[in-house]
Amino acid sequence: MPGEQKAIIRVTEEGYVPPGVTVRARIDATLFTASFPEELLATLEQDAKVASVEVSKRLSQID
């Protein structure tokens, strides 16, 4: 989907999901994989309850 980011997000408050973020899978109470519109990345990085955002990178395919 164009304009969508996938990332692993760690938050400081158990169960917190930032607005505009869709949880894909929970790893634990403060760590989950997510998808969100790419324009939301800067907002997430400024969110006091978000400890880290690790955006996924597409790997090259080896033939």
Side-chain angles (χ1 to χ4, degrees), residues 5 7 10-11 17 24 27 29 39 45 51-52 55-56 58 60:
Q5 290 286 335
R10 179 174 298 279
V11 294
V17 177
R24 300 179 73 209
I27 298 166
E39 61 270 11
E45 290 172 338
S52 65
V55 177
S56 66
R58 192 165 220 27
S60 300

Side-chain angles (χ1 to χ4, degrees), residues 3-49:
E4 182 182 68
Q5 290 286 335
K6 292 183 176 73
I8 297 174
I9 299 177
R10 179 174 298 279
V11 294
T12 59
E13 181 181 300
E14 289 188 7
Y16 176 69
V17 177
V21 171
T22 300
V23 175
R24 300 179 73 209
R26 279 222 173 257
I27 298 166
D28 64 26
T30 60
L31 187 65
F32 55 91
T33 61
S35 58
F36 54 88
E38 64 184 30
E39 61 270 11
L40 191 60
L41 182 58
T43 302
L44 291 174
E45 290 172 338
Q46 298 299 315
D47 188 326
K49 293 182 183 177

